[in-house]
Amino acid sequence: MKRLSFIPVLALLMLMAGPASAAEIVHSPILAASAGRTLQISAVLNGAPSGTRIRLFYRIKGKEQFQSTEMLGALSQFDGEIPGEQVQMPGLEYYLEAQQTGVPGPVASFPVLNARLNPAFVIVRKDNLGPEMQILSPMEGDTVDSDTPVITVAFNDEESGIDLASVEVRVDGALVKDKARIQVFETLMSYVPAAALPSGEHEVQVTAKDKAGNPGSLSWAFSVKTPFEGHAKKKKRMHWDGAFSYETQYGAVIQQPTDPHAPLPYRPYGLNRGRVELNGRGVDNTLKLKVNKSDEERSDQQPTDRYLALWQNRQGLIALGDYSPKFSELSLYNPLFLRGVTLDLRSGQLDSGHSRFMAVWGQTQRPVNGGQTGFSGVPGTGAFGQYLYGARWELGGEHVLLGFNTVTVNDDPFGLDPTTMGAMVPKYTWLITSDARINLTPIYLSLSGEGGLDYYWNGPTALGVNLGLATRAGADWNILPWGTRLTVDYKDLGGNFGFLDGVSSGIASVVPGGYTSMANPGLIPDYRGYESSFSQSILGGQASVSFDMNKWRDNLQEIPGRSTVETDYMSGFINLAFGTLPYLSAGMTRNHQVNDADGNTLPALDAVSQTLNLSLGYTKPLNVNTSLSGNIAYVSISYADQAVRRSSQDLTNVQYVASAFLVHDASSFSLSGAMGNLDQPSFGAASSFGGITAAAKTGNNNTVSLRWSEQWKPRVFDSFLNYDLALSHLESPGLDTVPSFASDSNRSTYSAGANYTVRENHRFGVSLAYAMVATEKALGTVKTSDSLAQLMAGASYHFRF
């Protein structure tokens, strides 16, 4: 699919939406990913007014709590990412929700039916490729005039990253035991011999493993010759590489849809996007410059372009632009967008004795005046400019680490036109925390903890002030020789000072109470509980089992009129993958939520949801260039309202999914299909809260997707031909007062293109695609149909050096 980089796959998937009368998220789900690698998520939002945002929720399979982050972009496209530390075996779950200011609950979600109960599942596979290594100095065959030369090697491992502790250096076959003389970083290592090397040829071997345990090594030879023995070759100081690319697209509507609001496959005005990357690697320094620029950038939305300039060496780094550092979980952690300045100064190696100071300042949100016209033509929602500054100092070594953090996040009301603010109120957060970690290496045990307090202002008066307390403690017992791992993580985010919080002031609806941080978008407020997990692998990782047990509660301030909800979660999974045999994955999760029913105004809650997953797959290498794989899966989701006075219908949702992939060289064929049904039994007024009756409802959805891609690759000129077909049918049961909804969509896309390769790293490309969509929708007894067709043309240029 790399040949199709100038035809956004996501834009093609917009065709599946067809004319819509309500908000709809169009997203191509991620099926598989490599462990430890950051996952990019993209989506398109149709039929929603400007100002509607998409939030991404994700968790490791078997965990209870979803973390969340806001996706960047506008109605044309939203982009977000799931951090690599969350992309772990036995898998990943995620879902999307579109949220509109002032509208309670999500206005759209993906998956469409019960997104939180039925999240998209990503199969996470172990990284099997070792790190790439490149000689920086001295080069192969060089003759140097120093008997203590600086030996430097660059690392690259995009899948899981380098395990810094695994790096070893051998000189003339002897292992270097003086670790203090080996400086190791994420992108390079350097070593200066303690004793002079004798004149003559010397052989160096550098070995390293990535975080998935895959080894890599590099061996080469150079010669030492002092100035008195003759002239030496000049050493190379910096090695440069980079890339430049530009692409342009244009879409012409051949058949105009009847519905003027129907989403088009491509925007008629087209798209232009450029990318520049420059990397310099030397003995002591690494320089990076990255620019991603497109005409998608708009002043009435959050930024889509990205810029970064970075200078890094053994003493630390300086970053300008879009760079997001992490301090700790309760302070600055995983901000989706941060454009500013980052300073990271280090003394010593991070995996041994060191001290470290980090400082950051930047913008986390662009100011947007309310009422500006967005992409859909509907006035947009205003947003304050938001700025963050913080600092971290840490001291530690191989066994102990201690850190102190302070972070401030402020809304800036002066960046907006006062007439567009309306009822918007700026928010301010200041927090200070301290974290510690103890590594008991001989017994493979790591202990961690953190505590802190924050000042949060979110109200029109001085009574909108809240002081919150938070603590967390964790243990990770990872017995590598046995393949055994046990983790426990406890968090309490509900502590506060009662005389200052909004509860005692009678404005509980304004102030949340407890610990609130705008510096960690994934931190769940009003939470007290633990998550625990156990996993065991045998037979070299070919078989594994895992269990999770979590328990937490909210409403820690015991706000009158609001029920306190306690949640119990359990899960278990089995994974089998024996060499060339089919792989099997099976698991079940159970989530039980119950409230205190202590006279609060909300109805009593006592509900159980269960999910059963079964997956069977097989991959067969037919020859060196060809492989065949297939996968079948069964997913069953059930929800039962066990309250004496029920407030919702029970639910049973079953999904069957099958897919097949054939890959030959650069050509591929894939076919996938899914069908499912949803049942909700009826219940009478006598057993329901408020005397509401519910009639039995059923629904089903079926999808078929076929993709064929053929590529021809002569020496200088290569071309491709692709065909995409997607058929979908969705039936959604309505409520008693809302009619049911049904939708059929038929999408076909033909695309062809060619690339002319000037050199191995120098290429021009052109493409042509024709898309057709036919849709039919029924809302109750009212049926509508529509169709559209569009011709897309594109050109691209790629250069790498």
Side-chain angles (χ1 to χ4, degrees):
M1 291 301 295
K2 291 182 179 180
R3 301 285 183 178
L4 289 173
S5 60
F6 44 83
I7 300 181
V9 176
L10 182 62
L12 291 176
L13 290 168
M14 290 180 66
L15 298 167
M16 298 178 64
S21 58
E24 183 178 14
I25 296 176
V26 182
H27 167 66
S28 179
I30 308 297
L31 300 177
S34 298
R37 184 174 185 178
T38 299
L39 204 58
Q40 304 295 327
I41 305 293
S42 297
V44 170
L45 181 60
N46 294 321
S50 180
T52 304
R53 313 299 298 169
I54 295 182
R55 198 157 192 86
L56 167 64
F57 296 82
Y58 55 87
R59 67 182 179 189
I60 299 174
K61 187 75 172 177
K63 295 294 183 183
E64 176 190 359
Q65 290 299 316
F66 282 94
Q67 297 191 48
S68 69
T69 185
E70 185 171 318
M71 300 176 70
L72 294 178
L75 289 177
S76 57
Q77 180 171 328
F78 288 84
D79 297 292
E81 64 179 31
I82 300 176
E85 56 262 29
Q86 296 293 322
V87 186
Q88 302 294 337
M89 299 177 69
L92 175 74
E93 294 178 323
Y94 73 94
Y95 68 95
L96 310 176
E97 283 188 352
Q99 301 168 348
Q100 184 180 346
T101 304
V103 177
V107 297
S109 64
F110 180 89
V112 177
L113 297 175
N114 312 299
R116 188 176 182 87
L117 288 176
N118 185 27
F121 176 62
V122 181
I123 298 173
V124 177
R125 296 187 173 95
K126 184 180 179 181
D127 173 19
N128 294 316
L129 298 177
E132 298 179 2
M133 307 172 73
Q134 177 185 358
I135 305 169
L136 294 183
S137 68
M139 298 297 291
E140 173 77 35
D142 268 3
T143 300
V144 297
D145 56 6
S146 172
D147 52 12
T148 55
V150 179
I151 299 171
T152 313
V153 170
F155 299 131
N156 182 37
D157 191 282
E158 296 183 356
E159 297 291 328
S160 56
I162 302 296
D163 179 4
L164 304 184
S166 69
V167 176
E168 293 184 345
V169 179
R170 286 177 170 80
V171 178
D172 297 328
L175 177 66
V176 176
K177 298 182 179 180
D178 187 359
K179 292 284 188 177
R181 303 195 68 85
I182 303 177
Q183 300 289 323
V184 184
F185 307 95
E186 294 180 358
T187 58
L188 59 84
M189 63 75 55
S190 64
Y191 164 66
V192 179
L197 297 177
S199 298
E201 186 176 87
H202 297 275
E203 182 177 346
V204 178
Q205 181 185 39
V206 177
T207 60
K209 294 181 180 179
D210 60 19
K211 294 179 181 178
N214 303 302
S217 65
L218 187 65
S219 300
W220 77 102
F222 64 90
S223 297
V224 171
K225 200 170 191 179
T226 66
F228 303 101
E229 297 175 302
H231 182 69
K233 294 182 181 180
K234 185 178 180 180
K235 295 188 293 184
K236 298 180 180 180
R237 294 295 181 185
M238 293 291 292
H239 300 267
W240 296 92
D241 64 77
F244 169 79
S245 65
Y246 179 80
E247 56 189 272
T248 184
Q249 302 163 12
Y250 177 75
V253 181
I254 306 301
Q255 180 178 346
Q256 183 71 38
T258 305
D259 184 353
H261 300 291
L264 296 174
Y266 285 72
R267 290 166 296 173
Y269 63 79
L271 169 67
N272 294 278
R273 183 183 292 120
R275 172 176 169 266
V276 176
E277 181 177 344
L278 181 65
N279 302 296
R281 298 181 178 90
V283 175
D284 294 310
N285 298 290
T286 299
L287 304 175
K288 292 184 179 181
L289 175 65
K290 294 183 179 180
V291 176
N292 287 276
K293 174 68 178 175
S294 76
D295 57 5
E296 295 174 291
E297 180 84 356
R298 299 173 58 92
S299 61
D300 59 351
Q301 67 186 38
Q302 295 305 316
T304 57
D305 294 343
R306 293 291 181 267
Y307 310 92
L308 174 64
L310 185 144
W311 173 32
Q312 181 178 7
N313 58 24
R314 67 186 68 188
Q315 281 78 42
L317 64 84
I318 298 175
L320 304 176
D322 301 319
Y323 182 80
S324 298
K326 296 180 181 179
F327 288 0
S328 65
E329 185 173 348
L330 298 184
S331 60
L332 178 62
Y333 190 80
N334 196 30
L336 179 63
F337 175 79
L338 178 59
R339 175 170 294 172
V341 181
T342 299
L343 179 67
D344 186 346
L345 301 179
R346 311 167 185 177
S347 175
Q349 301 180 72
L350 296 183
D351 60 340
S352 59
H354 74 279
S355 62
R356 184 182 190 184
F357 174 75
M358 302 176 66
V360 59
W361 177 89
Q363 184 187 73
T364 62
Q365 183 171 278
R366 171 191 290 172
V368 175
N369 282 308
Q372 288 184 310
T373 301
F375 180 74
S376 67
V378 179
T381 303
F384 289 114
Q386 191 178 83
Y387 296 88
L388 177 151
Y389 57 90
R392 171 178 173 83
W393 181 81
E394 70 178 47
L395 176 68
E398 182 181 357
H399 302 292
V400 178
L401 176 69
L402 181 64
F404 299 93
N405 315 283
T406 177
V407 181
T408 301
V409 187
N410 294 329
D411 283 344
D412 178 19
F414 304 104
L416 296 182
D417 183 345
T419 62
T420 68
M421 290 186 188
M424 294 172 55
V425 177
K427 303 177 182 179
Y428 306 93
T429 299
W430 173 78
L431 57 90
I432 181 170
T433 75
S434 177
D435 59 277
R437 187 179 72 238
I438 300 175
N439 295 324
L440 305 177
T441 307
I443 60 173
Y444 305 98
L445 178 62
S446 177
L447 304 175
S448 61
E450 184 174 7
L453 60 88
D454 79 331
Y455 165 93
Y456 180 66
W457 190 91
N458 175 28
T461 69
L463 298 178
V465 173
N466 178 75
L467 286 181
L469 297 173
T471 57
R472 64 167 298 269
D476 186 346
W477 196 12
N478 190 6
I479 310 176
L480 297 175
W482 298 352
T484 304
R485 188 169 189 178
L486 174 65
T487 65
V488 178
D489 189 22
Y490 172 84
K491 285 194 287 288
D492 186 343
L493 308 178
N496 68 352
F497 298 91
F499 61 96
L500 282 176
D501 64 34
V503 177
S504 61
S505 302
I507 54 172
S509 60
V510 177
V511 180
Y515 191 81
T516 303
S517 169
M518 292 193 293
N520 180 357
L523 200 62
I524 302 172
D526 200 21
Y527 172 99
R528 179 181 295 148
Y530 68 88
E531 294 186 352
S532 61
S533 66
F534 170 79
S535 63
Q536 178 67 59
S537 63
I538 59 175
L539 302 177
Q542 296 182 105
S544 64
V545 295
S546 62
F547 301 96
D548 294 83
M549 181 178 295
N550 310 326
K551 185 179 181 68
W552 68 280
R553 64 180 290 257
D554 60 8
N555 193 23
L556 303 176
Q557 315 306 324
E558 298 182 355
I559 300 174
R562 174 183 166 191
S563 298
T564 300
V565 177
E566 291 194 2
T567 304
D568 289 276
Y569 178 94
M570 297 180 63
S571 69
F573 293 89
I574 300 176
N575 294 280
L576 303 175
F578 297 104
T580 58
L581 297 177
Y583 61 85
L584 173 68
S585 177
M588 186 181 74
T589 63
R590 183 180 187 274
N591 192 32
H592 183 200
Q593 288 188 314
V594 58
N595 65 14
D596 49 20
D598 59 357
N600 286 320
T601 57
L602 294 181
L605 170 68
D606 189 355
V608 175
S609 59
Q610 292 189 152
T611 303
L612 174 64
N613 292 268
L614 297 174
S615 179
L616 180 66
Y618 181 66
T619 300
K620 174 66 175 178
L622 302 180
N623 54 50
V624 177
N625 302 316
T626 307
S627 64
L628 175 67
S629 62
N631 187 84
I632 56 175
Y634 168 84
V635 180
S636 173
I637 300 171
S638 64
Y639 173 86
D641 190 342
Q642 302 179 148
V644 177
R645 292 285 186 176
R646 63 167 61 229
S647 58
S648 60
Q649 286 181 277
D650 293 349
L651 176 150
T652 302
N653 190 359
V654 176
Q655 298 282 334
Y656 304 89
V657 182
S659 59
F661 305 88
L662 175 64
V663 179
H664 175 70
D665 288 335
S667 303
S668 63
F669 173 87
S670 65
L671 175 65
S672 62
M675 62 180 184
N677 60 75
L678 178 145
D679 293 303
Q680 292 179 277
S682 62
F683 63 81
S687 62
S688 68
F689 178 81
I692 300 174
T693 62
K697 304 180 183 72
T698 61
N700 62 79
N701 62 286
N702 305 295
T703 61
V704 176
S705 177
L706 179 148
R707 173 167 295 170
W708 172 63
S709 176
E710 184 67 38
Q711 299 188 17
W712 297 270
K713 298 200 311 177
R715 177 175 300 178
V716 177
F717 181 82
D718 63 272
S719 58
F720 67 84
L721 178 65
N722 298 280
Y723 174 67
D724 283 289
L725 169 67
L727 307 174
S728 66
H729 172 78
L730 172 66
E731 290 183 7
S732 176
L735 302 175
D736 289 340
T737 58
V738 179
S740 61
F741 173 82
S743 173
D744 288 281
S745 177
N746 183 335
R747 171 180 63 87
S748 296
T749 305
Y750 306 86
S751 58
N755 293 298
Y756 176 72
T757 303
V758 181
R759 296 177 181 174
E760 183 179 353
N761 59 345
H762 199 181
R763 190 177 79 250
F764 294 89
V766 294
S767 66
L768 189 66
Y770 179 71
M772 299 177 294
V773 178
T775 64
E776 181 175 295
K777 295 189 176 183
L779 186 62
T781 59
V782 180
K783 293 185 178 181
T784 59
S785 61
D786 208 347
S787 60
L788 61 92
Q790 190 172 16
L791 181 67
M792 289 77 68
S796 65
Y797 171 75
H798 299 270
F799 174 67
R800 178 169 290 279
F801 64 92

